[in-house]
Amino acid sequence: MKKSELIIIDTGFQKKQYRGYLNIQGDMSNKLEDKLNKRDIKPTAMRILVLQYLMNQENAVSLQDIEDAFGVADKSTLYRTLKTFEKSKLVHTIDDG
C-alpha cells in the first residue's frame, strides 16, 4: 500500500466525523468485534481502534491521515492492520496517483 492510496471502509454502520481520541465502549466495541469476526479477523485492540477510526470518517482517508491519527502507534502495525482489512475486503484502496 503506497502513501498515495486512499482507504475506504465498507460498513453498514452510520459514519460519524472523527473527533479527538478514540473511545470504544460497550455495545460499539461488541459491534466492531462482530464486524471483524464476520470477516475472520481476530479482533485485537489495534484492529478495533483502526476500524473505529475508519468507520467514523465521512470520506476516504489516506495512509498518512491514519498515521497522523495514531501518532505514537507503530507504523508497521498500522500497515499490517490495513493489509489484513484489505485482504478480507473490509476496506479497499484507491491509487490517487
Side-chain angles (χ1 to χ4, degrees), residues 7-19 22 24 27-36 47-61 66 70 82 85 90-91:
I7 308 297
I8 299 174
I9 188 161
D10 172 22
T11 177
F13 296 114
Q14 181 179 4
K15 295 180 182 178
K16 298 176 191 168
Q17 189 170 359
Y18 171 72
R19 297 186 193 284
L22 296 168
I24 302 175
D27 193 41
M28 178 54 115
S29 178
N30 291 336
K31 288 179 182 180
L32 295 169
E33 288 180 30
D34 289 345
K35 187 134 191 90
L36 293 172
R47 290 173 180 167
I48 292 169
L49 289 171
V50 171
L51 180 59
Q52 182 192 30
Y53 171 80
L54 293 171
M55 289 176 56
N56 286 336
Q57 301 309 300
E58 294 285 328
N59 300 306
V61 295
I66 296 169
F70 288 90
L82 293 169
F85 288 0
L90 187 59
V91 299

Side-chain angles (χ1 to χ4, degrees), residues 3 12 24-25 34 36 44 46 49-51 57 61 64-65 70 72 84-85 87 92 94:
K3 284 193 180 212
I24 302 175
Q25 297 179 4
D34 289 345
L36 293 172
T44 64
M46 180 56 76
L49 289 171
V50 171
L51 180 59
Q57 301 309 300
V61 295
Q64 186 64 53
D65 293 336
F70 288 90
V72 296
T84 298
F85 288 0
K87 286 178 186 174
H92 65 271
I94 300 170

